[in-house]
Amino acid sequence: MKKYVGYALAAAAVLALAFAAKCEIPAKMPPPGLPKGIGPYAEKELKLDPCIDKELAKKGEQLFEQYCSGCHKITERYVGPPLKGVTLARSPEWIMNLLLNTEEMIWNDPIANALLQQYLTVMRPSPDMTEKDFRAVYEYLRYVDATDQTVVK
Amino acid sequence: MNKGRVRLAVLLALVAALSFVAVGARKVATKLAKDAAQKVYVPPGEYDEFYAFLSGGFNGQLSVVGLPSGRTLKNIAVFSVNPRNGYGFSPETKPLLMTSHGFVAWDDTHHPELSMTNGVPDGRWIFINANNTPRIARVDLKYMETAEIIEIPNSAGNHASSFVTYNTEYVTAGTRFSVPIPQRDIPIDQYKGNFKGTLSFIRVDPETGRMSLAFQILVPGYDYDLAHCGKGPSKDWCFFTSYNTEEAHTLLEINASQHDKDFIAAVNWKRAEECVKEGKYEVWNTPYAHNWYDEKKHMAFSEIVKEEKVIKPEQCPGVIYFLPTPKSPHGVDVSPDGRFIVGNGKLSATMAVFSFEKMLKAIEEKKFAGDAYGIPVLDYDSVVHHHVKNVCLGPLHTESDGKGYAYTTCFISSEIVKWKWETGEIVDRIPVYYSVGHLMIPGGDSAKPWGKYVLAMNKITKDRYLPTGPELNQSAQLIDITGDKMQLLLDFPTLGEPHYAQGIPASLIKDKQAKIYNLKENEHPYATKSEKEVKVVRKGNEVHVYMTAIRSHFVPDNIEGVKVGDTVYFHVTNLEQDWDIPHGFAVYGDDDPNILIMPGQTLTLVWKPEKPGVYPFYCTDFCSALHQEMQGYVRVSPADANPPMIWRGGGKEGKWIVE
Ligand SMILES: [Cu+2]
């Protein structure tokens, strides 16, 4: 019960903030208290803006196309899991840890390891991708979850 | 030195080599077992201390071996095709094997030499010669793949090759088989005076490594066998041995063994450069191929060049001198300090060590014993520093340990002899099994040897390993040279027939290794950089499939619309950007081997289906847990049919583009 109250409060807060900022695209926020995983964001907080940064999301879409789409689709299973809803199901810190500290995450984080057991392919983000690039891809996935669209318009 | 004792030793070695070898070998092995094992043991997960690069001789390849373990790490196809990855078959790599005689897919590799900076191997490139259809290749040590091949015109039996000057200004090439130059139809018994050799200098671009033929020196029709370039004081010179100064053209075994002395040709390449500057050369027009691999386009290119600068020694005095050398010398080697040059006279038990300083003085004072076709022959006594007497039977090659010692291989008496450069005093000898050819000390022909091991590369294997029928792999032996006495550590079989080899500390190369081809920088004209770009294009009878591979699927994986009579080009881009995740590609009934596509790379397999049907293709490299699922189908319809032109894959379906 307490959890739902928390969700409701969080949702209300986000909505309030979004309205206050008059977002073009208000983001949907993940519920608080999700696990953060293992890695550089384990102890940090990734502060999320209540508004989608469309420019960043556009850049993320391009990077996703180039570096991620060989293995991931938005709505269907491919080599790896479909990514729609991921920004609501996982904390931003967990996602960044998975991208930046993949090897350790897939073997030692219980959620990532369960996914490895389900999909049976080792995830390998491109070594070309920087932390900024990953953040852009994350913004793209946030955009997808906020708008139900896969193309940033 | 007691002559009788040496004779006895030689005799004993001979006996050992020729008859009771097996018994001797086993005794050696038991005696060695304990401390030798520790010296060559590289624990699991740890690395070898040295990279060694062994020529493959008649396999046309270059083996990469770790020392001291003797483990083969890779076999690089240079002058050969490679079933492993489609080298020499794929349109991307085929141009590397083009020559003025067309596509030549085989050769005989002999003498790898590492690029050098100030006389010390720098780990950038390694050069290797093709003996049969004269060529020199450059292997890029970042990718450990063949990067460039240049054909040598006006040459045959490209054996006194590919030796590198002090700062890799040039790679040398010399003709072992003199021929009519330029080639023409004449009776073979008119050899004398009509057949010629050339000593070629290939310029190496210091930044890119790109090779170009700078000049060729036209020389008398002897057999130019081996070479080494000078260092320190002698760095502007290169030395080439010759045999058959008799100019025999038949039964060379006897007819080319008449003279007590043959020659070492000392070439002053700085002088040759001056002559080129002053226009003292002729332009000849024997065509030759120049082939290179474009790292960004993932593709090799080939051009035919039709111009070369030929220097005739009489037009460029001072460019070449002959040093009389006993007898039919094979290898020529220079001491690390560049002061001494040794001719390994394979038919003489005495080796002449020349002094570079004395050579310069003799040239200055014109101490000539005559001339050969106008080339001054230096007076022997004026240039010899000392003789290494009764070395052994059949001395072939010498390397250095950087501590003042030289190590010479002896083919007939199957041993390595250690002696002092300065005095010629013999200090140690060790038997090898059997009939050793070249030897290699890491950096042992450079200005700064890493004198820890010598690797003996033996020509005869006999009973050293479990027998494998009539054909046996050649055998190498690793010997510890850190103590006063050489100590045999390890036997290991090699691939092909290693002639010469090079060695370099692993630390100078290992961190520069490419792990992937960067997909962003892939400029292959048929690259498909994401699954969104996948397409199939028909251009008349050509079908171009722009295909992607990633664990564990190809896109497209269904192709319909191919007809008998079409040529299908599968341009496969590996989308992975992760080290050691290649994908392979093969299609049923194809003539060629598979292609093995490295991460980020694009390669093409060409297929000409001959019968209607549905043909599977698949990934040949076990890449993932779902590797077995990495498969697809091409439908082939009769030539006169009108099938739909479609593809499927990645959950999508597409129509062909018809141009
Ligand atoms: Cu595969």
Side-chain angles (χ1 to χ4, degrees):
Chain A
M1 198 61 207
K2 213 173 159 189
K3 206 163 138 195
Y4 291 107
V5 174
Y7 282 2
L9 279 174
V14 166
L15 277 173
L17 273 169
F19 280 118
K22 289 217 172 83
C23 291
E24 187 192 344
I25 307 161
K28 287 186 187 157
M29 296 299 218
L34 292 171
K36 290 185 170 188
I38 313 156
Y41 280 87
E43 306 299 330
K44 272 196 279 191
E45 194 188 342
L46 183 68
K47 273 250 172 17
L48 292 175
D49 197 284
C51 299
I52 298 287
D53 178 341
K54 229 173 87 173
E55 209 175 305
L56 189 63
K58 189 75 205 165
K59 189 187 161 207
E61 183 190 352
Q62 283 157 4
L63 289 164
F64 180 85
E65 209 48 65
Q66 190 178 350
Y67 292 107
C68 315
S69 65
C71 294
H72 291 281
K73 291 180 187 272
I74 298 300
T75 51
E76 296 153 57
R77 175 203 168 119
Y78 207 26
V79 177
L83 294 179
K84 191 163 163 42
V86 70
T87 67
L88 306 176
R90 314 263 178 257
S91 70
E93 294 86 2
W94 188 91
I95 293 174
M96 290 301 280
N97 277 333
L98 181 69
L99 293 166
L100 290 165
N101 190 34
T102 315
E103 187 68 20
E104 200 182 348
M105 281 287 282
I106 61 175
W107 296 109
N108 297 333
D109 176 81
I111 302 169
N113 189 256
L115 286 164
L116 174 64
Q117 293 191 36
Q118 186 184 348
Y119 289 89
L120 293 172
T121 301
V122 172
M123 178 170 162
R124 293 267 186 249
S126 165
D128 273 2
M129 296 274 283
T130 62
E131 188 167 338
K132 271 188 176 165
D133 293 337
F134 288 133
R135 179 63 185 82
V137 170
Y138 179 73
E139 195 67 9
Y140 166 63
L141 295 173
R142 237 156 66 93
Y143 176 92
V144 170
D145 289 339
T147 63
D148 253 357
Q149 304 288 322
T150 56
V151 179
V152 180
K153 281 177 199 146
Chain B
M1 197 71 212
N2 182 328
K3 251 189 190 169
R5 228 172 61 204
V6 172
R7 273 205 207 107
L8 189 68
V10 169
L11 194 76
L12 281 176
L14 253 176
V15 167
L18 297 177
S19 51
F20 301 111
V21 285
V23 178
R26 262 174 225 135
K27 270 187 193 149
V28 170
T30 359
K31 217 169 72 190
L32 283 182
K34 282 174 198 156
D35 68 322
Q38 278 173 358
K39 288 184 180 170
V40 298
Y41 182 63
V42 178
E46 287 184 23
Y47 296 142
D48 276 295
E49 187 182 351
F50 293 97
Y51 279 103
F53 299 92
L54 280 62
S55 66
F58 40 62
N59 76 5
Q61 303 178 349
L62 179 69
S63 293
V64 187
V65 172
L67 293 181
S69 75
R71 296 179 292 194
T72 298
L73 306 172
K74 184 175 182 178
N75 213 26
I76 304 170
V78 185
F79 299 106
S80 82
V81 295
N82 191 354
R84 181 182 159 91
N85 58 12
Y87 175 84
F89 293 95
S90 61
E92 286 85 356
T93 54
K94 249 181 153 164
L96 282 169
L97 295 172
M98 290 307 293
T99 73
S100 62
H101 304 272
F103 179 72
V104 179
W106 172 87
D107 222 298
D108 180 14
T109 55
H110 278 247
H111 312 120
E113 188 153 69
L114 291 158
S115 57
M116 292 191 285
T117 302
N118 294 323
V120 182
D122 57 23
R124 298 205 288 167
W125 311 299
I126 191 161
F127 302 88
I128 191 162
N129 61 320
N131 189 65
N132 188 51
T133 303
R135 288 171 280 179
I136 302 277
R138 178 173 57 88
V139 171
D140 185 336
L141 290 179
K142 184 178 163 200
Y143 291 92
M144 298 230 184
E145 294 289 351
T146 306
E148 189 179 7
I149 290 177
I150 190 166
E151 189 181 359
I152 313 298
N154 306 314
S155 178
N158 179 39
H159 195 274
S161 322
S162 41
F163 296 93
V164 174
T165 57
Y166 201 63
N167 277 302
T168 323
E169 296 92 342
Y170 296 97
V171 179
T172 63
T175 47
R176 178 164 141 223
F177 307 139
S178 282
V179 284
I181 294 179
Q183 272 289 7
R184 59 194 181 277
D185 171 25
I186 62 169
I188 297 166
D189 62 7
Q190 289 177 21
Y191 185 112
K192 230 173 204 170
N194 285 317
F195 283 39
K196 299 274 178 208
T198 52
L199 305 176
S200 303
F201 285 75
I202 296 129
R203 180 93 207 162
V204 179
D205 184 283
E207 293 305 314
T208 62
R210 188 64 80 86
M211 299 187 287
S212 56
L213 181 57
F215 52 85
Q216 303 190 283
I217 302 169
L218 193 67
V219 285
Y222 313 148
D223 290 33
Y224 297 88
D225 203 13
L226 276 147
H228 258 111
C229 294
K231 329 182 223 291
S234 56
K235 68 179 166 53
D236 299 343
W237 295 71
C238 291
F239 305 93
F240 300 79
T241 46
S242 72
Y243 61 96
N244 193 20
T245 51
E246 297 85 351
E247 295 181 75
H249 61 272
T250 180
L251 197 62
L252 266 66
E253 183 183 0
I254 294 165
N255 296 334
S257 305
Q258 301 297 310
H259 294 171
D260 280 341
K261 291 194 178 68
D262 294 278
F263 295 134
I264 286 174
V267 173
N268 182 343
W269 57 262
K270 279 272 181 189
R271 174 70 189 132
E273 283 182 340
E274 284 171 15
C275 292
V276 169
K277 254 193 210 143
E278 293 161 14
K280 293 174 178 163
Y281 61 88
E282 292 177 9
V283 174
W284 290 18
N285 301 105
T286 310
Y288 59 98
H290 178 216
N291 318 319
W292 67 95
Y293 184 79
D294 185 320
E295 231 175 74
K296 293 237 160 92
K297 292 189 175 135
H298 296 202
M299 192 166 300
F301 297 87
S302 178
E303 63 176 4
I304 294 286
V305 186
K306 285 181 184 156
E307 206 177 274
E308 59 273 3
K309 296 184 174 81
V310 175
I311 297 173
K312 291 182 168 167
E314 65 266 28
Q315 294 169 346
C316 179
V319 75
I320 181 169
Y321 299 90
F322 283 140
L323 286 76
T325 305
K327 171 177 189 180
S328 297
H330 191 53
V332 54
D333 301 286
V334 182
S335 61
D337 58 13
R339 290 165 59 218
F340 304 121
I341 300 122
V342 64
N344 304 264
K346 64 180 184 279
L347 304 184
S348 163
T350 295
M351 297 199 303
V353 177
F354 300 104
S355 153
F356 179 72
E357 201 186 322
K358 282 188 175 179
M359 187 193 92
L360 287 189
K361 198 158 167 253
I363 291 170
E364 205 184 301
E365 295 171 359
K366 297 200 162 41
K367 288 199 168 151
F368 301 139
D371 74 278
Y373 293 98
I375 294 169
V377 177
L378 293 164
D379 172 53
Y380 184 72
D381 293 328
S382 306
V383 289
V384 159
H385 174 69
H386 61 64
H387 293 98
V388 194
K389 287 189 185 124
N390 295 315
V391 188
C392 59
L393 295 183
L396 292 185
H397 300 283
T398 298
E399 294 253 303
S400 303
D401 64 3
K403 296 164 203 151
Y405 294 100
Y407 298 73
T408 298
T409 56
C410 305
F411 179 81
I412 302 172
S413 52
S414 289
E415 60 186 325
I416 290 177
V417 179
K418 178 180 175 183
W419 52 277
K420 278 189 182 150
W421 270 112
E422 190 70 50
T423 62
E425 182 199 346
I426 292 170
V427 297
D428 191 22
R429 50 178 82 230
I430 188 170
V432 283
Y433 308 93
Y434 311 97
S435 298
V436 60
H438 278 272
L439 76 172
M440 183 277 282
I441 293 171
D445 64 340
S446 77
K448 201 191 99 190
W450 292 275
K452 194 165 177 184
Y453 307 106
V454 59
L455 185 71
M457 286 161 282
N458 307 317
K459 299 301 185 189
I460 310 287
T461 303
K462 297 271 197 220
D463 53 5
R464 298 301 285 181
Y465 312 112
L466 283 175
T468 53
E471 188 186 358
L472 307 169
N473 268 343
Q474 265 72 2
S475 163
Q477 290 185 298
L478 191 72
I479 294 162
D480 181 348
I481 54 167
T482 53
D484 288 341
K485 298 290 289 174
M486 292 181 269
Q487 186 198 5
L488 178 59
L489 300 178
L490 178 73
D491 268 30
F492 63 92
T494 56
L495 296 172
E497 184 198 343
H499 293 265
Y500 197 28
Q502 293 273 280
I504 186 169
S507 57
L508 293 182
I509 297 189
K510 83 174 165 52
D511 299 329
K512 298 181 201 157
Q513 291 303 298
K515 293 184 170 159
I516 57 166
Y517 290 85
N518 192 315
L519 199 57
K520 259 196 304 207
E521 291 164 11
N522 179 340
E523 292 172 15
H524 191 296
Y526 292 95
T528 313
K529 294 200 204 178
S530 78
E531 290 183 0
K532 263 213 169 137
E533 295 171 24
V534 165
K535 60 186 175 184
V536 179
V537 179
R538 176 182 279 290
K539 284 183 189 166
N541 282 340
E542 282 184 11
V543 177
H544 292 272
V545 183
Y546 293 70
M547 185 181 266
T548 60
I550 196 163
R551 281 162 288 184
S552 307
H553 58 270
F554 295 107
V555 184
D557 59 8
N558 284 191
I559 301 162
E560 300 190 22
V562 173
K563 295 194 278 187
V564 172
D566 284 343
T567 302
V568 185
Y569 295 83
F570 297 97
H571 307 287
V572 188
T573 302
N574 180 348
L575 295 180
E576 311 277 355
Q577 289 289 274
D578 185 11
W579 192 21
D580 197 22
I581 307 290
H583 292 289
F585 182 85
V587 59
Y588 181 118
D590 186 41
D591 298 345
D592 292 344
N594 77 162
I595 46 174
L596 187 67
I597 314 126
M598 295 302 125
Q601 192 182 29
T602 304
L603 275 174
T604 302
L605 185 121
V606 185
W607 182 52
K608 292 183 183 181
E610 285 170 357
K611 286 182 227 162
V614 177
Y615 296 91
F617 57 80
Y618 72 107
C619 173
T620 52
D621 186 305
F622 203 107
C623 55
S624 63
L626 294 161
H627 161 78
Q628 293 301 89
E629 284 74 6
M630 196 161 174
Q631 62 181 57
Y633 291 102
V634 199
R635 174 182 166 191
V636 177
S637 304
D640 56 359
N642 205 3
M645 292 188 281
I646 56 160
W647 60 266
R648 284 179 215 101
K652 285 193 298 190
E653 209 173 298
K655 287 201 165 71
W656 291 23
I657 298 160
V658 180
E659 287 186 353

